Amino acid sequence: MGSNHDHGSAAVREGHQKKLIMALALTGSFMIAEVIGAWITGSLALLSDASHMFTDTAALAISLIALQIAKRPADQKRTFGYARLEILASTFNAVLLFLVAMYILYEAYQRFFMPAEIATGAMMWIAIAGLIINLISMRLLASASNESLNVKGAYLEVWSDMLGSLGVIIAALIIRFTGWTWVDTIVAVAIGLFAKAWESSWRVCRGGST
């Protein structure tokens, strides 16, 4: 009976791992594409969304590592090892987000005085592709999000990034039909602030549930 339960739990974890790997591959690949797209289009909002996708990629990677550790017999040493890894990864993400946020705020300040040209067509199509990637990743993780806290965290990260992609699409449409390039700057700052607030909120909720 116990053996069957262990095999069942192992099969569930294996299923979770495969879904996380696919979501990680999709999110990580598109993050690189989005950085390149931000450089090509001149969109600050795309760059801000790409930094958010980086934290999503890191969250997915941490969830995968947590599942790997969960396969081994639990002991205090390993639990501490995972906790330390999560703290280090969160700190690294926070520092990177801070540096990117500082750059975006500096660039935003410059653009209010000297607006940059933005290729709204490419910007919109890249954001639409990002939205599709996010929806696919969400579909992959949705069924397992109620079975694992790690998967749920990854699912919510992807969900929040979907909102970022929607913000970039809306910005591209507004700029295309009005010529208000400053909207790109506003959306970039909004995505950065939202990403930070979301990360902090999820960390508090997760800490409260452990």
Side-chain angles (χ1 to χ4, degrees):
M1 187 90 169
S3 177
N4 289 337
H5 176 73
D6 290 341
H7 284 307
S9 298
V12 169
R13 282 198 298 268
E14 202 67 35
H16 292 172
Q17 186 173 5
K18 286 178 182 177
K19 290 175 181 179
L20 283 169
I21 288 172
M22 287 189 281
L24 177 61
L26 287 169
T27 306
S29 300
F30 193 76
M31 176 196 69
I32 297 169
E34 204 166 33
V35 170
I36 296 170
W39 179 70
I40 292 172
T41 63
S43 171
L44 205 56
L46 270 180
L47 180 62
S48 184
D49 195 45
S51 70
H52 188 195
M53 284 196 87
F54 177 84
T55 64
D56 294 346
T57 304
L60 287 165
I62 291 169
S63 296
L64 271 171
I65 293 169
L67 283 178
Q68 283 294 116
I69 292 172
K71 290 179 181 179
R72 306 172 186 173
D75 60 48
Q76 200 150 11
K77 184 178 178 182
R78 287 195 181 96
T79 301
F80 175 71
Y82 168 59
R84 183 167 53 186
L85 169 70
E86 195 171 30
I87 290 167
L88 288 172
S90 296
T91 302
F92 176 74
N93 282 347
V95 170
L96 185 69
L97 266 179
F98 176 77
L99 292 174
V100 172
M102 289 299 100
Y103 171 76
I104 288 172
L105 286 174
Y106 172 76
E107 194 67 28
Y109 175 78
Q110 296 291 323
R111 289 192 183 194
F112 272 122
F113 296 101
M114 295 190 311
E117 280 192 30
I118 298 170
T120 55
M123 174 187 173
M124 185 171 64
W125 286 114
I126 291 168
I128 288 172
L131 179 63
I132 293 169
I133 293 293
N134 288 324
L135 289 173
I136 293 171
S137 296
M138 285 173 65
R139 182 66 184 268
L140 284 169
L141 300 173
S143 60
S145 64
N146 293 324
E147 301 170 357
S148 165
L149 187 61
N150 289 310
V151 178
K152 184 176 182 181
Y155 174 81
L156 290 174
E157 288 280 0
V158 175
W159 187 87
S160 68
D161 195 62
M162 179 198 67
L163 296 181
S165 294
L166 282 173
V168 177
I169 292 170
I170 292 168
L173 287 171
I174 292 173
I175 296 167
R176 189 175 185 84
F177 291 107
T178 66
W180 298 342
T181 55
W182 52 266
V183 171
D184 178 70
T185 304
I186 296 296
V187 171
V189 174
I191 290 173
L193 292 174
F194 173 75
K196 190 61 185 170
W198 183 271
E199 182 190 19
S200 300
S201 298
W202 170 241
R203 193 178 298 160
V204 169
C205 292
R206 186 163 185 168
S209 62
T210 54

